[in-house]
Amino acid sequence: MNNQFFPNDFLWGASTSAFQVEGAAYAEGKGISVADLRTKKKNHIQMDTTVTVDHYHHLEEDVQLMVELGLKAYRFSISWTRIFPNGDTKEINPKGVEFYHRLIDLLNANGIEPIVTMFHFDYPMSLIEKFGGWESKQSINSFFDYATFLLKEYGSKVTYWLTINEQNVMVNQPDIMGIEDTDSSELYKKAQYANINMCIAQAKVFSLVEHKYPKLKVGPAVSYITALPENGTSENVLLAKTIEDMFSFSLMDISLRGKIPQQYLNMLENAGISLPISKEEMKILSEGTANYLAVNWYCTTTFRQKDVFDPKKALMENVEVCKSKWLEYTNWGWSFDPVGIRYALQQLHDRYPDIPVLITECGWSDTDELVDGKIYDNKRIAYLNDHIHQLGLSIRDGVNLIGFCPWSFIDLLSVNDGMDKRYGLVYVDRDNFNERSMKRYKKESFYFYKKVISSNGHNTLNE
C-alpha cells in the first residue's frame, strides 16, 4: 500500500533532550540539576551528564547533520539550570540564554521547526534544597516564572512548545524529580503531590500562552503506555484499561479537558491520599488547557496483576510486565508491535477528536557497532519503516497527526542505561567510560529516514 496520506506540512523530525546530549554540565555558568547528580551517582557503571555526546560544543556540526537528513522539525529541551543556575529568576546565565538562541536561529535558518520542551527531567537542585522541589507548592510559581522567561525570550522564534516531559514517568520514579523517602507509602504520597503541582504549574503556562501568545502551540509530552492484557478475561482487559487510564489518560484529561478524572481520585482515596488542591487551583486547571498533545510512544506492553494486590501501593507496583509470545523484544524488554501505534492513535482520536497530536518519541534501542565506518542497524530500519507505515494508515483513519519525531536524532545518554542503549540515527564514537574520537557517523537508518522524509512518507519498505 502506498502511504500517500501524509500532509505536505507534516513535521518529519527527531528528538533529544538537554541533559542527555549537551554535556558541559558543570561549565559556562550552568547550575546543577537532579539529572546531573542522579547520573553522577552511577558513573561507575555508566556515562553521566558531564560530557555525554558533547552537543554543546558540536552544535553547528550536529545541526548540519539535521540539514543533511532533511529534518522538518527538531524536538529538544532547554536545560532549566543553564538558563537559571539556581532555578529562580534572580540570576540569569547569559551564556546559556545565548546557546539556545544560536541553536534556534540555526534551525530556523535551515527550515527546521524548533519544538522546545521546557522541562525534561533536569530539575534544579537548588530548588530541591530550598523547598523540596515539585512536592512543594512553591514549585508552581518557580516553573511558571521559568516558562514565562522562555516564552518572552524565544517565543518570537518558536511556535511549538512542550511544558513537561513524561510527568507520569517521574511520578512512578520519584527519584528522577529528586524526591526520596524510605517509607514507600510516604514516597507515593509525595509523588502524587508533585503530580498535581506539575499539573497546576503547566495549566498556568497554558493560560499564559492562550492570552498572551495565542499563535503559539503548547501542550504536555505524555508517556503513552498501550497496555495489553495477558489473557482475554474481563478482569485482565479491565486491568489493561485501568493502567492506560491511570498512567497516561488521566494526565491527558487534566491537560486537555481541565478536569481531574474521578477514577484517579478514587485510586488516591483507596491509598488514603487527599490531594492538597484549592478551589482556586481547580479553576486554574479548568481554565488552562493545552491546544495540542505530544506523546512518547514506543511499544505495547503486556501486563498481569500480581497475586497479592495492595490498594495503598501505586498501581504499577501491583502489576508485572510479561512478554507476549507473538512479539519480538529489544535487549531491554520493549516490544516490536507497529500495529499497536495505530491502535493507540485511534484511542487518542476517539477521546480527543479535535486535538492535534505530535509523536515526540518513538524508537528502537540496540547495541550498535561501528564496522569499517558504518553501522548496519537493520532492525531499527524495520522498526521505523513498519511504524511509519502504520502512521500513514492512522492519518487515513482520520487521526489528526501533525508530526513524527523519533527518539533519537543522535546517540545519547540513556536515563537508566548510559551509552550501552543506543537509539540514534547518528552514531557517536564513544562508550560509557571513554570519549574516544566523539566522531559522528551516519547509520544506515539515517539514510533510510532521509528517503522517507524526502518522499513525504512514501518511500517505505512496505511499498
Side-chain angles (χ1 to χ4, degrees):
M1 181 176 290
N2 200 332
N3 275 343
Q4 296 180 351
F5 311 119
F6 294 98
N8 291 331
D9 59 351
F10 192 76
L11 295 172
W12 294 105
S15 292
T16 65
S17 86
F19 83 92
Q20 294 175 279
V21 295
E22 284 181 2
Y26 305 94
E28 300 205 333
K30 180 184 168 295
I32 299 173
S33 74
V34 172
D36 295 327
L37 294 190
R38 187 174 183 269
T39 60
K40 191 174 183 179
K41 290 177 182 177
K42 299 192 291 181
N43 64 10
H44 60 292
I45 57 173
Q46 67 176 60
M47 179 173 69
D48 63 20
T49 62
T50 305
V51 177
T52 62
V53 295
D54 202 25
H55 174 65
Y56 191 82
H57 295 109
H58 289 76
L59 183 61
E60 287 76 12
E61 177 186 358
D62 290 345
V63 172
Q64 191 53 47
L65 283 166
M66 297 176 200
V67 174
E68 184 179 344
L69 180 57
L71 290 187
K72 307 300 182 185
Y74 174 51
R75 182 253 178 154
F76 63 96
S77 73
I78 288 177
S79 168
W80 189 334
T81 57
R82 200 177 291 284
I83 301 293
F84 297 127
N86 297 313
D88 56 39
T89 57
K90 293 178 182 178
E91 180 186 350
I92 299 174
N93 177 25
K95 290 185 177 179
V97 174
E98 178 57 27
F99 172 76
Y100 294 111
H101 272 298
R102 284 173 52 214
L103 172 56
I104 292 167
D105 289 346
L106 278 170
L107 295 173
N108 283 327
N110 287 285
I112 301 172
E113 190 83 46
I115 300 170
V116 179
T117 308
M118 296 175 173
F119 169 56
H120 191 130
F121 293 179
D122 49 1
Y123 196 83
M125 275 306 302
S126 292
L127 298 186
I128 298 288
E129 294 163 359
K130 186 176 180 180
F131 52 70
W134 280 118
E135 65 179 289
S136 166
K137 290 290 184 185
Q138 295 182 64
S139 64
I140 296 172
N141 285 335
S142 292
F143 180 76
F144 181 74
D145 291 344
Y146 164 60
T148 299
F149 176 87
L150 295 184
L151 290 166
K152 182 179 179 181
E153 187 72 24
Y154 305 110
S156 63
K157 302 178 179 182
V158 176
T159 299
Y160 291 91
W161 291 87
L162 300 170
T163 45
I164 298 175
N165 177 76
E166 295 192 340
Q167 178 176 329
N168 40 0
V169 170
M170 291 187 286
V171 171
N172 281 276
Q173 292 181 255
D175 68 304
I176 296 177
M177 296 183 283
I179 296 176
E180 299 178 351
D181 202 293
T182 55
D183 185 325
S184 60
S185 297
E186 190 65 21
L187 182 62
Y188 181 47
K189 182 170 72 172
K190 287 180 178 180
Q192 297 305 322
Y193 287 179
N195 193 34
I196 201 63
N197 288 338
M198 283 188 275
C199 289
I200 297 165
Q202 68 180 359
K204 292 185 68 174
V205 178
F206 297 155
S207 288
L208 175 64
V209 170
E210 179 184 2
H211 294 107
K212 196 168 182 179
Y213 305 95
K215 294 183 180 180
L216 303 187
K217 298 293 185 182
V218 64
V222 181
S223 177
Y224 185 11
I225 279 186
T226 296
L228 303 179
E230 183 187 23
N231 60 49
T233 65
S234 297
E235 288 81 4
N236 277 280
V237 172
L238 180 60
L239 173 65
K241 180 183 183 299
T242 301
I243 290 169
E244 292 181 346
D245 287 344
M246 293 301 96
F247 189 83
S248 301
F249 290 136
S250 61
L251 287 176
M252 296 182 198
D253 282 355
I254 294 171
S255 295
L256 297 170
R257 295 173 172 173
K259 185 177 180 180
I260 304 175
Q262 185 60 47
Q263 190 179 3
Y264 171 64
L265 294 174
N266 292 345
M267 182 187 72
L268 296 183
E269 183 180 350
N270 291 339
I273 297 173
S274 177
L275 288 180
I277 183 168
S278 66
K279 289 183 179 180
E280 180 183 354
E281 289 169 337
M282 291 291 287
K283 185 179 180 183
I284 290 171
L285 290 181
S286 66
E287 294 179 350
T289 53
N291 56 27
Y292 85 117
L293 173 67
V295 293
N296 298 346
W297 193 98
Y298 287 86
C299 60
T300 55
T301 307
T302 304
F303 291 93
R304 61 169 166 253
Q305 186 170 297
K306 291 181 179 178
D307 294 336
V308 178
F309 183 88
D310 185 348
K312 292 186 179 181
K313 287 185 176 180
L315 173 63
M316 304 306 284
E317 291 185 54
N318 281 304
V319 299
E320 56 188 14
V321 175
C322 46
K323 288 187 176 181
S324 168
K325 64 181 180 181
W326 294 286
L327 298 176
E328 184 179 358
Y329 289 83
T330 70
N331 294 335
W332 294 270
W334 291 28
S335 70
F336 188 121
D337 190 7
V339 176
I341 200 168
R342 185 180 179 190
Y343 168 64
L345 289 171
Q346 286 190 8
Q347 284 190 296
L348 290 184
H349 182 65
D350 290 345
R351 198 168 187 125
Y352 317 109
D354 301 320
I355 297 296
V357 176
L358 174 66
I359 296 174
T360 41
E361 290 183 29
C362 180
W364 182 262
S365 58
D366 218 329
T367 52
D368 299 330
E369 293 185 11
L370 186 64
V371 180
D372 296 329
K374 294 186 177 181
I375 302 92
Y376 299 96
D377 54 340
N378 294 327
K379 183 56 67 175
R380 183 171 294 110
I381 291 173
Y383 178 96
L384 288 171
N385 173 79
D386 291 2
H387 284 73
I388 290 168
H389 183 68
Q390 294 298 324
L391 297 185
L393 296 177
S394 298
I395 293 172
R396 187 189 187 198
D397 294 335
V399 175
N400 188 8
L401 184 65
I402 63 172
F404 176 62
C405 297
W407 191 263
S408 55
F409 166 67
I410 195 167
D411 287 342
L412 41 69
L413 165 64
S414 182
V415 175
N416 294 314
D417 300 286
M419 206 63 183
D420 291 334
K421 187 180 185 182
R422 294 177 185 256
Y423 281 96
L425 300 166
V426 175
Y427 182 92
V428 180
D429 181 28
R430 72 152 299 163
D431 60 25
N432 274 317
F433 307 108
N434 300 291
E435 294 177 25
R436 298 206 291 250
S437 71
M438 299 290 280
K439 184 177 178 180
R440 275 71 166 140
Y441 292 87
K442 289 164 278 190
K443 301 181 186 180
E444 291 301 300
S445 59
F446 179 101
Y447 297 107
F448 166 78
Y449 193 44
K450 181 177 181 178
K451 290 180 181 178
V452 169
I453 296 172
S454 65
S455 64
N456 198 31
H458 298 178
N459 201 333
T460 60
L461 303 179
N462 300 71
E463 298 175 13

